[in-house]
Amino acid sequence: MRLSRYFLPVLKETPAEAQIASHRLMLRAGMIKQASAGIYYWLPMGFKILRKLENIVHEEQQKAGHIPLQMPTLQSADLWKESGRYDAYGPEMLRIRDRQDRDMLYGPTNEEAITDIFRSYVRSYKDLPLTLYQIQWKFRDEIRPRFGVMRGREFYMKDGYNFDLTKEDALHAYNRHLVSYLRTYERMGLQAIPMRADSGPIGGENTHEFLVLAETGESEVFYDSEITELTFGDRQIDYDSHEQCEAVMQEFTSRYARTDETHDEAVFAEVPEDRRRVARGIEVGQIFYFGTKYSEAMGATVQGPDGKQVPVHMGSHGIGVSRLIGAIIEANHDDKGIIWPEGVTPFHVGIVNLKTGDAEADAACDSLYKALEAKGLEPLYDDRDERAGGKFATMDLIGLPWRITVGPRGLKNGVVEVTSRRTGESEEMAPEAAIEKIAGIYAGL
Ligand code: P5A
């Protein structure tokens, strides 16, 4: 993309309404604009990152054998009356009446809708296990929407639902989701720690929230510092293996790690004092096992091996896709701007032309641009007729991990400059070497 043709409305001023770094930077970097309280326009740069995260979530879900579908944002209240949640959900649910006077709602979650799909088609235990998921907008009329996309009213969520014959199978689904979530967050350059949590209006007893530690996080968390030493890395897991998924679940959840809702001082006191941590975190996901809560209420049964009808065991699993952008920025920024991890960056590399209009510099930039694209990379080329300082400031603000700077002086010596956004270190090299270096960094990502 050439910056002169893109739509990147960056702001010079720090918006007064933004209290935390990620919100400030998303506004300044031209990623989002508030449409109304807790509701945002996703401008091209923000939308591009949303799509990147969404792709990672899809890939990891499908590796785990989960099947994508799409449900509508508007739902009929009737389904929620069947489950009993229409009254229970409270003022967070946005209720709408259509022209026929039918009660509708903007879905805050989809347990009812997916159970309706399931009961319409699935009759036999032979069709299980089944996990369906979607990535779709949700609406929760939060009393205090704040921090930009962190606590929105309209937000983008991956929501998945498993259907199993037995509790044991459903717990395998729970563990499988835990494993797939660990992989998903790590690909995004984040450490998200599973913590024992409260199930709230979703219900059930088994639930873990995934928390990214950050001072600006909204949740207070208590944990054994040993947990932060664990990484998933590149271990190969067979998602069909109950044993392997359970072993990972045990490994990642055996140490003390709880949100304030489930925190227990007496149990925490058993953790050696030098490892006890009280901190704040951003909740980027949550998994639930709630057994037959919805299947019993809504008649989602299958014929078991003995011929009898039994309600299916279910769980649901959510990833806050739009909130993740805020979490990634909270964990990856400095006073100049965002520093995208390579796995999620909207463009792979920025090209800064120090002297737009200089025939040699223009030609060198054009050929770099084409060569990078030919390698399957997406460069963002700042070809605007602006001072170099402004171009650097924009690149630093939007946070592409790598920058190639091209100017007449370097070109005389046959070199361009390659700079890491994270370390600030620069290296001069021939344009061909710069292309190879950048391609090498992204190979395998
Ligand atoms: C699991 C999927 C559920 O709704 N039902 C379907 C279950 N879980 S949850 O924990 O309530 O939400 C899942 C994740 O969505 C994100 N999230 C939000 N993101 C931005 N703004 C909000 N107001 C908001 N509310 C929830 C969180 O990341 C949460 O873990």
Side-chain angles (χ1 to χ4, degrees):
M1 179 60 64
R2 287 166 191 271
L3 200 44
S4 63
R5 296 183 198 167
Y6 199 43
F7 181 67
L8 184 70
V10 299
L11 306 178
K12 291 224 168 57
E13 307 302 322
T14 298
E17 77 269 25
Q19 297 159 21
I20 61 170
S22 57
H23 187 194
R24 249 184 335 260
L25 290 169
M26 287 182 77
L27 293 168
R28 285 195 53 215
M31 294 169 62
I32 54 169
K33 171 180 163 55
Q34 185 174 306
S36 57
I39 304 179
Y40 289 87
Y41 299 112
W42 288 83
L43 304 177
M45 186 64 103
F47 183 60
K48 202 158 195 306
I49 293 156
L50 199 63
R51 283 280 173 270
K52 278 235 158 160
L53 298 189
E54 181 177 358
N55 286 341
I56 292 175
V57 172
H58 272 303
E59 280 177 24
E60 293 303 329
Q61 284 305 301
Q62 288 170 45
K63 278 183 202 161
H66 307 158
I67 301 165
L69 51 54
Q70 190 88 78
M71 291 177 269
T73 53
L74 294 185
Q75 303 181 18
S76 159
D78 293 346
L79 281 179
W80 289 69
K81 288 176 183 160
E82 275 190 64
S83 73
R85 282 208 295 180
Y86 190 63
D87 294 325
Y89 214 93
E92 270 194 18
M93 180 186 278
L94 182 66
R95 296 155 207 259
I96 303 162
R97 186 156 293 161
D98 71 11
R99 67 198 294 168
Q100 316 285 357
D101 256 359
R102 280 182 295 236
D103 288 326
M104 309 283 292
L105 56 101
Y106 193 131
T109 177
N110 288 58
E111 280 77 8
E112 284 79 359
I114 202 83
T115 306
D116 184 41
I117 294 174
F118 182 89
R119 70 178 173 186
S120 304
Y121 302 106
V122 184
R123 299 277 169 260
S124 163
Y125 76 96
K126 290 181 191 151
D127 296 324
L128 305 181
L130 178 65
T131 295
L132 301 169
Y133 80 94
Q134 68 168 353
I135 305 180
Q136 175 65 294
W137 295 96
K138 307 287 185 292
F139 197 96
R140 293 182 185 173
D141 203 352
E142 302 276 351
I143 190 157
R144 210 147 48 102
R146 58 176 187 163
F147 299 161
V149 300
M150 285 283 197
R151 179 164 298 278
R153 293 200 297 161
E154 189 185 47
F155 60 97
Y156 208 41
M157 190 208 287
K158 171 262 162 178
D159 48 320
Y161 307 85
N162 69 285
F163 300 90
D164 288 280
L165 180 63
T166 63
K167 177 172 181 180
E168 191 206 330
D169 287 350
L171 289 176
H172 169 57
Y174 187 89
N175 298 338
R176 192 177 67 228
H177 278 87
L178 188 135
V179 174
S180 72
Y181 279 24
L182 291 171
R183 290 179 58 150
T184 303
Y185 298 123
E186 274 195 25
R187 269 187 71 181
M188 298 176 182
L190 286 174
Q191 180 173 44
I193 303 170
M195 299 202 182
R196 199 189 287 185
D198 180 66
S199 67
I202 307 291
E205 278 156 31
N206 290 47
T207 182
H208 282 89
E209 282 180 9
F210 289 76
L211 285 117
V212 173
L213 298 173
E215 278 167 25
T216 50
E218 290 194 288
S219 317
E220 187 173 33
V221 296
F222 302 81
Y223 62 95
D224 176 342
S225 65
E226 267 192 4
I227 187 81
T228 58
E229 286 155 30
L230 284 178
T231 55
F232 193 81
D234 54 7
R235 49 180 114 183
Q236 299 301 311
I237 297 287
D238 173 1
Y239 277 115
D240 289 333
S241 161
H242 288 220
E243 294 72 26
Q244 287 183 27
C245 291
E246 188 178 348
V248 173
M249 186 276 288
Q250 291 290 355
E251 184 181 351
F252 279 83
T253 61
S254 60
R255 291 169 195 74
Y256 193 95
R258 299 192 191 184
T259 64
D260 52 1
E261 297 151 342
T262 54
H263 176 59
D264 182 330
E265 270 301 328
V267 185
F268 195 42
E270 289 164 22
V271 177
E273 196 176 352
D274 61 324
R275 299 200 328 235
R276 264 180 251 155
R277 298 283 185 281
V278 182
R280 304 199 69 82
I282 302 166
E283 181 206 326
V284 292
Q286 187 163 3
I287 55 175
F288 303 82
Y289 163 69
F290 41 68
T292 56
K293 173 177 168 173
Y294 298 91
S295 54
E296 276 191 57
M298 297 180 64
T301 61
V302 292
Q303 187 171 53
D306 57 3
K308 291 206 185 93
Q309 289 291 319
V310 285
V312 287
H313 286 257
M314 291 173 62
S316 71
H317 327 89
I319 294 181
V321 181
S322 48
R323 176 179 287 181
L324 268 167
I325 300 180
I328 293 170
I329 297 175
E330 288 298 320
N332 298 279
H333 71 272
D334 61 16
D335 52 4
K336 291 187 215 146
I338 302 165
I339 308 172
W340 292 115
E342 271 115 3
V344 301
T345 185
F347 294 94
H348 297 107
V349 54
I351 303 173
V352 169
N353 187 343
L354 289 178
K355 204 162 182 199
T356 301
D358 175 275
E360 215 190 324
D362 290 355
C365 286
D366 277 344
S367 87
L368 260 177
Y369 184 82
K370 290 199 184 99
L372 287 161
E373 280 198 326
K375 293 263 184 201
L377 297 169
E378 274 191 284
L380 181 67
Y381 168 25
D382 193 343
D383 58 343
R384 296 169 307 160
D385 190 10
E386 277 220 15
R387 350 171 253 112
K391 292 186 176 182
F392 289 141
T394 299
M395 283 294 175
D396 284 346
L397 174 63
I398 66 176
L400 310 185
W402 296 92
R403 185 183 80 207
I404 305 180
T405 310
V406 181
R409 206 179 313 156
L411 289 175
K412 282 210 175 66
N413 301 321
V415 295
V416 296
E417 194 183 59
V418 177
T419 307
S420 154
R421 173 69 182 86
R422 198 170 285 279
T423 66
E425 279 164 27
S426 291
E427 227 186 313
E428 290 193 333
M429 60 188 81
E432 300 71 35
I435 293 159
E436 288 309 318
K437 181 180 168 99
I438 302 294
I441 287 163
Y442 288 103
L445 272 185

